[in-house]
């Protein structure tokens, strides 16, 4: 289906005028010219390009963004009004007293009106999310049409992606608002049902085994080693045996994992997963290493239920039976017979396998599923053996490869095979240089996924919170390899894109100061939402969040290990604000917050002291650390040298040249002052002792300037060689030179003025001195020697 038709079908009528005008953009692009003869086609001029870009970026994009921001703000205001109405009608001691004395019918009317308003807000939130996604896709489609048709001269997609990344309209973080709506829905239902005395709770455990909260992030390759070393100091690296799926001892390389995803020719599974439809499912084949090594292969089907939980069905299958199973001619008879021989015909294991086989095979036949995408990546896993409280995985070298046979004339995969023989027979590995350009997409970052089991103590995973809030990672809620691969490789086949595409071509690295400020803003906004929800839960206490004083630069925390530089600038996780983003991921649940910030910001005096003295910490850990040595976990030893200090010193030439230029500037100032003082001394004559004395003062200032410039040159050269994190600036030298010159000039002017008054008949010496002083003012450029 063409995108224009999809856009028209997706329009929410009350908001029709606020959607992107896709037809107007195509008209400005003069798309119909391609169907005309070459003689009738008009050339594409700079005026045409300017008109298209202005309409796309300055008109349509601003219109959509302004509407989204205004609508979301209005929805928050309506939500706040509902909360106020509920508090007045039924919460708190005063509210209950009024409700008991008032008319019950009136109270029910108020609750019913609030329920209707909540339904309206919920509907508009859903429509707003669809509105943002379809317009986001429309902008990318228009930019792609432009670059395909006019890309030989102008390219607009890079500019558009940078602009999209800077605007909030494509944000998916509606979780705080939904959390508030959930609290109000529960309150209204309980009051209407007559169960007003029951306490609201959102932490009741769900049935179905252990529950995890998943957090996904992108990691820039420049920060990858630092992230890995930060994790391995707390969790050991797990090594898996692909044959037995058990943890093994010894030195093994990180396993290469291949996932083969299925979808229909119209990409139904992709659309359902991206739209977060109820019952959205995904199907894949998964194995470790190369197929030539005969690894264990498993069919895996995951379904998202209405309550947000996921149900996973999997069973192992041999390579030779995969294609017959997909075609429906094989129903795992041999595996079922082995189970019947072992457990009997009515065994639970037999029934379970029969159910899973029938479910997956019916699912394949019903939706005409076929392999369309291969994801190949290397995984590093961190976990304490036998402890599922914290599980962390880092996926690198992610390559997404087309595995489809949609194009009958030029299929990527033989339709009679279930996988690409050219890859598996040759045991191709990353970066898969033999694959054609249009059939592969290499993800530029590493993928970090953190899974926290419900019930794990917050004191246990504080270091995880530090990592998630640091500048080393970029949160990527709901990121999916399958969705990203389809978006990148089948762009012409789908009419909906994920929001994270706008951040793909931008630099995800963040300054520690900016990351800290961003985390503080998120905490403040989260605290506001929690305060509103807490009022419905019966808690009237104010939010415990307090903004931290100053930035985290140079601050030490309890997660730091002995031996790290405390006065260095924050290249690691030192002092980064703590917090967990609400990601509301599709595949697994996420947490809201951790409440650690209140304890860290409890004392403003201590925070101010740490801001003035970065190497000083008054935390509980720091006090204990100053009194005793910290016992390291088993298998962890104190590093003798920091990772950043290991290896050869590689310094960019511009760093050395900058230090040399500063030294030359100081020498320039010193030579100028020495020359002027010498001229003043020679012109003063033997009788003018005052001028000679001032010349000596200027000479001393010149000597100090030269000596200071040489000393700072040596100091900074050593700092560069040692990779020091201290500041390179030093204002002492410029201040001394400035004060010395100002005092000398003022004394010179004062003495000469008094001398002229006392002896008006001796102007010659004054004139000579005055001329030299004027020359000195003209020759010395104060800006040159004050800039350090």
């Amino acid at each position: 289906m063409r995108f224009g038709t999809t856009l028209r079908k997706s329009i929410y009528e009350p908001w029709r005028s606020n959607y992107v005008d896709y037809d107007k953009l195509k008209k400005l692009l003069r798309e119909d010219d391609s169907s005309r003869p070459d003689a009738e086609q008009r050339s594409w001029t700079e005026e045409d390009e300017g008109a298209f870009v202005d309409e796309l970026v300055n008109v349509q994009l601003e219109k959509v963004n302004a509407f989204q921001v205004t609508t979301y703000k209005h929805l928050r205001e309506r939500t706040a009004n509902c909360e106020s109405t509920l508090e007045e009608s039924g919460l708190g001691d005063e509210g209950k007293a009024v409700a008991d004395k008032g008319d019950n019918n009136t109270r029910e009317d108020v609750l019913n009106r609030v329920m209707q308003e909540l339904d309206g807000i919920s509907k508009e939130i859903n429509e707003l999310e669809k509105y943002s996604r379809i317009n986001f896709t429309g902008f990318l489609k228009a930019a792609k049409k432009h670059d395909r048709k006019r890309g030989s001269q102008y390219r607009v997609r890079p500019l558009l992606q940078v602009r999209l990344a800077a605007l909030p309209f494509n944000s998916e973080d509606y979780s705080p608002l939904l959390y508030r709506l959930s609290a109000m829905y529960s309150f209204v239902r309980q009051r209407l049902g007559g169960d007003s005395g029951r306490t609201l709770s959102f932490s009741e455990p769900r049935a179905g085994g252990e529950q995890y909260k998943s957090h996904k992030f992108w990691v820039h390759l420049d920060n990858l080693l630092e992230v890995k070393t930060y994790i391995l100091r707390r969790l050991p690296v797990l090594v898996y045996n692909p044959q037995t799926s058990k943890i093994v001892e010894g030195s093994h390389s990180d396993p290469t994992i291949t996932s083969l995803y299925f979808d229909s020719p119209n990409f139904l599974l992709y659309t359902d997963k991206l739209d977060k439809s109820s019952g959205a499912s995904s199907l894949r084949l998964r194995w470790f290493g190369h197929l030539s090594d005969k690894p264990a292969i498993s069919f895996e089907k995951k379904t998202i239920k209405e309550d947000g939980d996921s149900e996973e069905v999997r069973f192992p299958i041999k390579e030779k039976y995969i294609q017959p199973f997909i075609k429906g001619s094989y129903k795992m008879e041999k595996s079922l017979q082995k189970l019947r021989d072992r457990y009997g015909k009515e065994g639970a294991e037999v029934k379970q396998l029969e159910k899973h086989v029938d479910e997956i095979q019916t699912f394949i036949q019903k939706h005409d599923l076929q392999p369309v995408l291969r994801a190949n990546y290397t995984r590093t896993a961190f976990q304490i053996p036998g402890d599922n409280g914290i599980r962390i995985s880092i996926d690198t070298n992610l390559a997404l490869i087309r595995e489809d046979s949609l194009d009958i004339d030029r299929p990527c995969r033989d339709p009679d095979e279930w996988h690409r023989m050219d890859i598996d027979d040759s045991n191709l590995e990353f970066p898969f240089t033999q694959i054609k350009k249009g059939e592969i997409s290499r993800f530029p970052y590493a993928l970090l996924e953190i899974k926290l089991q419900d019930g794990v103590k917050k004191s246990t995973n504080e270091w995880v919170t530090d990592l998630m809030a640091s500048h080393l990672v970029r949160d990527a809620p709901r990121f999916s390899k399958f969705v990203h691969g389809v978006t990148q490789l089948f762009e012409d086949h789908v009419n909906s894109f994920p929001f994270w595409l706008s951040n793909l071509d931008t630099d995800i690295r963040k300054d520690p100061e900016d990351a800290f400020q961003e985390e503080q803003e998120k905490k403040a906004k989260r605290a506001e939402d929690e305060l509103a929800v807490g009022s419905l839960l019966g808690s009237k206490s104010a939010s415990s969040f307090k903004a931290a004083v100053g930035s985290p630069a140079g601050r030490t925390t309890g997660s730091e290990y002995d031996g790290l530089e405390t006065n260095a600038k924050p290249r690691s996780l030192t002092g980064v604000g703590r917090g967990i983003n609400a990601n509301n991921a599709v595949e697994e649940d996420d947490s809201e917050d951790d409440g650690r910030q209140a304890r860290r910001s409890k004392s403003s005096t201590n925070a101010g002291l740490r801001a003035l003295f970065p190497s000083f910490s008054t935390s509980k850990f720091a006090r204990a650390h100053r009194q005793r040595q910290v016992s390291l976990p088993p298998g962890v030893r104190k590093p003798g040298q920091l990772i950043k200090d290991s290896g050869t010193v590689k310094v960019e030439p511009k760093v050395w040249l900058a230090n040399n230029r500063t030294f030359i500037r100081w020498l320039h100032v010193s030579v100028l002052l020495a020359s002027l003082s010498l001229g003043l001394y020679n012109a003063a004559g033997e009788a003018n002792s005052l001028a000679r004395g001032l010349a000596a003062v200027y000479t001393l200032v010149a000597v100090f300037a030269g000596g200071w410039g040489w000393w700072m040159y040596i100091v900074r050269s050593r700092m560069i060689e040692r990779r020091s994190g201290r500041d390179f600036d030093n204002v002492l030298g410029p201040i001394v030179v400035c004060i010395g010159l100002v005092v000398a000039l003022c004394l010179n002017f004062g003495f000469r003025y008094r001398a002229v008054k006392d002896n008006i008949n001796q102007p010659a010496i004054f004139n000579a001195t005055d001329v030299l002083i004027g020359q000195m003012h003209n020759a010395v450029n104060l800006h040159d020697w004050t800039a350090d």
Side-chain angles (χ1 to χ4, degrees):
M1 184 184 299
R2 299 178 65 87
F3 177 74
T5 304
T6 303
L7 177 61
R8 286 189 290 272
K9 291 183 177 180
S10 303
I11 288 179
Y12 182 51
E13 285 301 326
W15 300 347
R16 172 176 288 274
S17 60
N18 296 289
Y19 282 79
V20 58
D21 196 340
Y22 192 69
D23 293 334
K24 184 176 182 179
L25 292 174
K26 291 198 299 182
K27 184 178 180 181
L28 289 174
L29 193 57
R30 298 210 306 266
E31 189 179 15
D32 297 337
D33 285 358
S34 58
S35 60
R36 300 177 182 177
D38 295 339
E40 298 182 9
Q41 294 185 10
R42 294 189 294 114
S43 60
W44 186 258
T45 63
E46 292 187 2
E47 290 76 10
D48 297 329
E49 178 69 16
F52 177 81
V53 173
D54 180 72
E55 181 68 24
L56 178 67
V57 178
N58 298 331
V59 178
Q60 298 296 330
L61 185 56
E62 291 297 331
K63 177 184 70 174
V64 171
N65 178 65
F67 178 77
Q68 196 275 341
V69 171
T70 303
T71 304
Y72 186 66
K73 181 180 179 181
H74 180 60
L75 290 175
R76 289 180 63 91
E77 292 175 352
R78 291 171 60 185
T79 303
N81 293 335
C82 290
E83 290 167 346
S84 300
T85 303
L86 291 178
E87 289 180 1
E88 295 172 358
S89 63
L91 267 181
D93 296 336
E94 297 179 358
K96 289 182 180 179
V98 172
D100 293 339
K101 296 179 182 179
D103 188 4
N104 290 333
N105 294 331
T106 303
R107 181 173 176 235
E108 290 184 2
D109 292 340
V110 172
L111 294 175
N112 287 326
R113 287 198 301 269
V114 171
M115 179 66 80
Q116 293 178 0
E117 179 69 7
L118 292 178
D119 291 339
I121 295 174
S122 301
K123 179 182 178 182
E124 290 199 5
I125 290 177
N126 185 36
E127 295 296 339
L128 184 61
E129 197 274 340
K130 295 179 181 179
Y131 168 88
S132 300
R133 187 179 301 281
I134 195 66
N135 283 283
F136 177 80
T137 305
F139 288 123
L140 293 182
K141 288 282 188 179
K144 179 186 176 182
K145 283 182 176 292
H146 171 276
D147 293 350
R148 179 182 296 174
K149 189 174 181 61
R150 312 297 180 186
S152 58
Q153 295 178 322
Y154 310 96
R155 293 186 63 84
V156 73
R157 182 160 183 170
L159 170 65
L160 179 65
Q161 287 186 327
V162 172
R163 183 63 177 148
L164 286 172
L167 295 177
F169 92 89
N170 60 339
S171 173
E172 291 183 331
D173 191 12
Y174 295 102
S175 300
L177 187 56
L178 295 177
Y179 186 53
R180 295 169 65 178
L181 291 176
S182 176
M184 286 188 286
Y185 269 119
S186 298
F187 172 80
V188 173
R189 284 195 297 266
Q190 290 180 11
R191 293 307 186 271
L192 290 177
D195 190 11
S196 59
R198 180 183 175 185
T199 302
L200 293 177
S201 174
F202 297 98
S203 59
E204 295 179 359
R206 298 174 182 175
E210 297 177 340
Q211 298 293 324
Y212 289 89
K213 298 174 183 177
S214 176
H215 308 263
K216 299 180 181 180
F217 303 89
W218 293 351
V219 181
H220 196 279
L221 298 184
D222 292 350
N223 299 329
L224 180 59
L225 181 59
E226 187 170 356
V227 172
K228 284 186 175 181
T229 53
Y230 179 83
I231 298 174
L232 63 85
R233 290 203 299 267
R234 284 87 179 174
L235 292 178
V237 178
L238 287 186
V239 181
Y240 290 93
N241 186 339
Q243 297 295 334
T244 63
S245 298
K246 293 182 179 179
I247 303 170
V248 298
E249 301 293 339
S251 57
H252 288 72
S253 59
D254 292 333
T256 300
I257 302 176
T258 302
S259 296
L260 205 62
Y261 292 96
F262 286 68
D263 208 336
S264 61
N266 59 351
F267 292 93
L268 176 63
L269 302 188
Y270 166 86
T271 304
D272 290 343
K273 187 176 182 65
L274 190 61
D275 294 340
K276 302 182 290 294
S277 302
S278 177
S281 301
S282 60
L283 181 66
R284 68 180 179 183
L285 285 166
R286 193 164 182 255
W287 67 88
F288 291 79
H290 300 293
L291 276 180
S292 58
D293 298 331
K294 305 299 181 182
I297 306 175
S298 61
F299 252 118
E300 300 178 357
K301 176 178 178 286
K302 179 178 287 187
T303 303
I304 306 300
K305 298 180 180 179
E306 294 183 359
D307 57 0
D309 287 345
S310 61
E311 181 183 16
E312 191 168 319
V313 174
R314 68 172 65 188
F315 59 84
I317 186 172
K318 291 185 178 181
E319 178 183 351
K320 60 182 178 180
Y321 296 134
I322 295 179
Q323 185 65 13
F325 181 85
I326 296 175
K327 296 297 183 181
S329 57
Y330 179 71
K331 298 183 179 298
M332 303 294 294
E333 288 88 356
K334 292 188 177 181
S335 298
L336 288 171
Q337 185 60 42
K338 291 181 180 179
L339 290 178
R340 292 190 185 101
D341 295 340
R342 181 180 303 176
Y343 301 104
K345 295 183 179 181
E346 301 298 327
E349 292 80 2
V350 177
K351 293 183 178 180
Q352 184 180 30
L353 181 58
E354 288 178 343
K355 178 183 177 183
H356 291 172
V357 169
D358 182 69
E359 179 180 345
I360 291 181
Q361 198 163 54
T362 303
F363 185 65
I364 293 175
Q365 302 297 328
K366 178 180 178 181
H367 299 288
D368 190 21
L369 301 182
Q370 58 177 288
V372 296
L373 179 71
R374 176 189 295 244
N376 183 275
Y377 51 93
T378 301
R379 169 160 292 183
T380 305
F382 302 87
Q383 182 183 348
I384 298 176
D387 184 2
N388 294 330
I390 303 176
R391 296 186 297 169
I392 299 179
S393 64
I394 298 179
D395 296 339
T396 55
N397 298 338
L398 173 59
L400 303 165
I401 306 173
R402 290 187 60 166
E403 199 88 11
D404 65 287
S405 57
L406 299 177
D407 190 346
I408 301 178
D409 298 330
R410 293 179 299 176
C412 299
R413 168 183 54 84
D414 186 351
D416 296 329
E417 298 289 341
W418 62 273
H419 64 107
R420 289 185 60 161
M421 307 297 293
D422 57 332
I423 297 178
D424 295 319
D425 289 350
S426 303
N427 291 336
L428 299 184
E429 295 181 347
F430 188 87
F432 298 97
T433 55
Q434 298 86 345
I435 304 299
K436 297 179 182 178
K437 183 177 180 180
E439 298 178 1
I440 185 172
S441 174
R442 300 174 183 87
F443 192 70
Y445 308 121
L447 298 176
L448 169 67
E449 184 172 9
I450 301 175
K451 293 183 178 181
L452 303 176
Q453 185 178 1
D454 288 352
V456 177
K457 295 181 179 179
K458 294 177 181 178
S459 58
T460 305
N461 60 9
E462 286 178 353
W463 64 270
V464 179
T465 306
D466 289 342
L467 176 62
M468 292 190 292
S470 74
H471 64 284
L472 299 176
V473 298
R474 173 70 175 266
D475 59 322
R478 302 194 187 121
F479 180 82
S480 166
K481 301 182 184 72
F482 168 61
V483 171
H484 185 76
V486 172
T487 303
Q488 294 292 97
L489 300 175
F490 299 92
E491 188 175 4
D492 294 334
H493 295 74
V494 295
N495 290 325
S496 185
F497 296 149
F499 287 144
W500 63 73
L501 285 185
S502 59
N503 297 321
L504 192 61
D505 295 331
T506 60
D507 191 354
I508 65 172
R509 291 171 293 185
K510 296 183 290 186
D511 183 82
E513 179 76 19
D514 296 338
F516 174 77
Q517 296 297 337
E518 180 181 350
E519 183 63 20
Q520 290 299 303
E521 294 175 359
K522 289 182 179 180
K523 283 179 175 290
K525 185 176 180 181
R526 189 184 303 124
E528 178 185 353
D529 293 330
E530 289 176 355
L531 182 61
V533 174
S535 64
L536 292 179
L537 295 175
S539 175
K540 294 291 186 178
S541 60
S543 173
S544 61
F545 170 75
K546 295 181 181 179
V549 179
S551 72
R555 204 175 292 170
T556 57
T557 65
S559 62
E560 284 293 316
Y561 273 81
D562 188 18
L564 296 181
E565 293 182 349
T566 57
N567 58 347
K569 282 193 173 182
R571 279 294 300 157
S572 65
L573 296 167
T574 307
V576 177
R578 294 161 170 77
I580 300 178
N581 297 331
N583 294 335
N584 192 22
V586 173
E587 297 184 355
E588 297 191 59
D589 296 334
D590 280 331
S591 62
E592 281 289 326
D593 66 344
D594 63 348
R596 172 104 190 269
Q597 181 62 33
R599 295 197 298 273
R600 192 170 67 112
S601 305
K602 186 174 182 179
S603 174
S604 60
T605 303
N606 294 339
L609 187 60
R610 291 193 302 269
L612 292 175
F613 303 99
S615 62
F616 179 76
S617 175
T618 58
S619 65
K620 181 178 180 181
F621 174 84
R623 292 195 302 269
H625 179 70
R626 286 192 288 267
Q627 298 174 359
R628 61 179 176 83
Q629 291 293 331
V630 178
S631 59
L632 298 178
V636 179
R637 60 183 178 85
K638 177 181 177 180
Q641 186 182 28
L642 295 179
I643 294 177
K644 72 179 184 65
D645 293 335
S646 61
T648 59
V649 180
K650 296 181 181 179
V651 182
E652 295 185 9
K654 64 180 181 180
V655 178
W656 289 110
L657 295 177
N659 193 24
N660 293 336
R661 284 196 302 270
T662 305
F663 177 52
I664 293 173
R665 285 294 184 90
W666 277 104
L667 290 181
H668 178 67
V669 172
S670 179
V671 170
L672 280 178
L673 290 175
S675 301
L676 293 173
S677 62
L678 181 61
L680 178 62
Y681 183 84
N682 293 331
E686 297 181 359
N688 195 344
S689 59
L690 178 61
R692 288 194 170 193
L694 291 173
V697 173
Y698 293 142
T699 302
L700 293 176
V701 175
V703 172
F704 176 80
W708 178 264
W710 174 82
W711 172 250
M712 291 308 302
Y713 173 76
I714 298 299
V715 170
R716 288 167 180 161
S717 297
R718 292 174 180 173
M719 292 173 64
I720 294 173
E721 292 174 354
R722 296 174 182 175
R723 298 187 179 98
S724 176
R726 295 185 299 167
D727 294 336
F728 280 73
D729 59 327
N730 195 326
V731 297
L732 178 61
I735 290 178
V736 172
V737 173
C738 289
I739 294 176
L741 288 180
V742 170
V743 171
L745 290 175
C746 292
L747 291 175
N748 184 91
F749 178 79
F751 288 145
R752 296 314 306 162
Y753 179 76
R754 190 173 64 176
V756 169
K757 287 186 63 177
D758 294 343
N759 190 2
I760 196 172
N761 296 324
Q762 298 180 5
I765 297 178
F766 173 76
N767 291 339
T769 303
D770 191 45
V771 169
L772 288 174
I773 295 299
Q775 293 176 352
M776 182 172 64
H777 276 290
N778 293 332
V780 178
N781 187 351
L782 295 181
H783 176 72
D784 290 340
W785 53 266
T786 55
D788 192 24

